Amino acid sequence: MKRMLSGIKPTGRVTLGNYIGAIKPFVSYQDEYEMFIFVANLHSMTVYQEPKELRQNTKDLIALYIAAGLDPKKCTLFLQSDVLEHAQLGWYLGCMVNMGELSRMTQYKDKVAKGESIGAGIFNYPSLMNADILMYDPDYVPVGEDQKQHVELCRDIAERFNSRYSDTFKIPEPLIAKVGSRIMDLQNPTKKMSKSDETSKGCIYILDDINVSKKKIKSAVTDSDSHVHFDPIHKPGISNLLEIYSILSNRSIEDIENQYEGKGYGEFKTDLAEIVGQELEKIQKRYKEITTGSYLDDILEEGAQKARIIARKKLSKVERKIGITIKKR
Ligand code: AQP
């Protein structure tokens, strides 16, 4: 089986964007790939997190992975901070990356352009991401369009390490879904739906009250026309809704366009609100079942143990190659 690895930061409540762009595809891959899925809680620290919220968001994220269908028997689920080797490998790999390479990362550049105060963690987080990935030798890393650049840097660093110290890391490939990799904010469809956004009106959270989520769909910004047609440039709002509709109903966009030909946005939005409501209801039911008792703690412990075995082996290999250790572990 080919191996796949990915993670999500617990930086807010999980959104429909996270579900469509990441969690749902993870579920679909689990029968075909050996999966390693983690909660990227070390990465969440690059921006201040209120401790109580961070704990809750972490617990919810792991619960939602499972509630959405990830099976801990098929997929190794763990907290990044439970596997200490990530931080250590991150340091070694951080020493191999240049300031220029890190300065070219879009997330960092955007913050510079906005004149925001930038923590060292934001600048250096691609090094930790390189460690997260290279530790497990995955064949594929499913990421959103905006993370492709990070996987490219990761490939460069892996090649640099391999050529300096001999073959150690597999060179991973980014895997970007053709649809759904960029679900937009419902109130501002030119901006990505993000869990750390301050306003929640344009953002559907997986644990939203069902009626609230339906209202958000019905009040989504569209355009003055009433033609249900996919055209992300000229009709970003309706195109975003069509993409959500298509993925959640497993139907082609063309088929949906045909169904609503001449019917206007009202009926389309009402039907979509139902589809979204049903999807969330299913996940929330399972979420309630698994968040009682010690089930999640047990899953995380088991996942961390499995991940640590691989991580320790890889870190030992790296440390032998770079000459930092003198004993054979
Ligand atoms: N709007 C989106 N549409 C499709 N996919 C999305 N993802 C995030 N937003 C959308 C995917 O979900 C995973 C989340 O990874 P992350 O938490 O490490 O990073 P992110 O992309 O920065 O997610 P957010 O929700 O926007 O978080 P904040 O607000 O903290 O920055 C990734 O696979 C991503 O592609």
Side-chain angles (χ1 to χ4, degrees):
M1 253 182 170
K2 297 253 187 204
R3 189 176 282 179
M4 197 178 263
L5 171 131
S6 199
I8 298 182
K9 294 175 290 182
T11 39
R13 289 177 287 160
V14 176
T15 70
L16 187 66
N18 300 137
Y19 174 66
I20 289 180
I23 302 176
K24 196 168 156 57
F26 297 165
V27 174
S28 74
Y29 298 138
Q30 69 182 339
D31 289 321
E32 214 182 314
Y33 295 92
E34 183 191 8
M35 306 276 295
F36 286 77
I37 300 293
F38 62 99
V39 173
N41 55 353
L42 296 181
H43 286 287
S44 73
M45 302 309 294
T46 55
V47 174
Y48 172 73
Q49 305 294 321
E50 202 281 310
K52 198 166 157 232
E53 280 178 21
L54 177 59
R55 265 190 291 275
Q56 187 62 45
N57 290 334
T58 302
K59 188 176 162 198
D60 283 349
L61 179 52
I62 199 83
L64 287 173
Y65 278 151
I66 300 167
L70 275 178
D71 179 352
K73 290 197 182 73
K74 294 181 188 162
C75 160
T76 303
L77 290 172
F78 63 101
L79 288 191
Q80 186 187 24
S81 61
D82 279 346
V83 185
L84 304 181
E85 287 77 3
H86 284 234
Q88 186 135 350
L89 182 59
W91 173 257
Y92 298 140
L93 297 179
C95 294
M96 296 190 67
V97 68
N98 302 319
M99 297 275 284
E101 288 170 314
L102 294 176
S103 318
R104 284 195 286 277
M105 295 295 115
T106 319
Q107 201 193 10
Y108 169 74
K109 280 200 325 200
D110 285 352
K111 287 196 181 277
V112 172
K114 285 186 197 149
E116 289 178 20
S117 126
I118 302 160
I122 286 275
F123 184 67
N124 202 29
Y125 97 94
S127 298
L128 180 60
M129 185 167 163
N130 291 342
D132 300 334
I133 298 172
L134 298 178
M135 188 78 88
Y136 299 93
D137 286 327
D139 298 276
Y140 299 105
V141 183
V143 284
E145 190 61 53
D146 48 357
Q147 290 279 342
K148 190 172 164 217
Q149 194 190 24
H150 288 120
V151 182
E152 274 157 11
L153 175 66
C154 179
R155 290 166 57 87
D156 291 346
I157 298 303
E159 276 163 5
R160 194 171 300 165
F161 190 102
N162 288 351
S163 79
R164 196 178 284 175
Y165 299 106
S166 84
D167 249 15
T168 306
F169 297 119
K170 185 173 257 182
I171 312 297
E173 294 283 343
L175 193 78
I176 298 165
K178 286 194 185 71
V179 281
S181 68
R182 204 170 161 79
I183 298 299
M184 309 309 264
D185 187 279
L186 301 179
Q187 290 299 314
N188 177 3
T190 58
K191 184 188 143 307
K192 190 182 92 153
M193 187 184 283
S194 274
K195 61 177 124 56
S196 62
D197 274 351
E198 272 147 31
T199 83
S200 60
K201 245 186 112 189
C203 204
I204 291 189
Y205 302 103
I206 301 301
L207 294 176
D208 258 348
D209 175 89
I210 303 298
N211 288 325
V212 170
S213 71
K214 288 182 180 173
K215 253 192 208 145
K216 287 180 182 173
I217 293 284
K218 288 181 187 166
S219 55
V221 166
T222 46
D223 49 61
S224 52
D225 178 14
S226 61
H227 185 198
V228 179
H229 174 61
F230 190 74
D231 178 352
I233 306 286
H234 302 103
K235 294 165 74 69
I238 203 74
S239 301
N240 188 38
L241 295 181
L242 265 166
E243 202 161 337
I244 297 172
Y245 196 132
S246 162
I247 290 166
L248 297 187
S249 65
N250 209 8
R251 288 172 57 195
S252 73
I253 287 185
E254 204 185 357
D255 187 24
I256 303 165
E257 283 175 335
N258 289 338
Q259 181 185 338
Y260 293 95
E261 182 68 53
K263 289 191 178 152
Y265 293 160
E267 190 174 331
F268 169 79
K269 281 182 171 178
T270 304
D271 292 350
L272 177 58
E274 277 312 307
I275 291 170
V276 170
Q278 278 168 21
E279 190 85 9
L280 299 196
E281 220 163 351
K282 226 172 31 191
I283 301 172
Q284 289 179 11
K285 185 165 175 274
R286 180 86 178 105
Y287 166 89
K288 282 195 192 109
E289 290 161 5
I290 59 181
T291 43
T292 48
S294 63
Y295 177 70
L296 290 182
D297 293 340
D298 298 344
I299 296 298
L300 286 179
E301 188 42 44
E302 224 171 272
Q305 276 181 24
K306 280 199 237 162
R308 274 185 214 124
I309 293 172
I310 297 175
R312 284 192 184 140
K313 214 166 147 198
K314 180 61 89 181
L315 187 67
S316 294
K317 189 172 184 183
V318 166
E319 291 186 328
R320 276 199 311 276
K321 292 209 178 188
I322 63 178
I324 203 146
T325 183
I326 53 169
K327 59 176 191 245
K328 275 204 164 181
R329 279 196 256 170

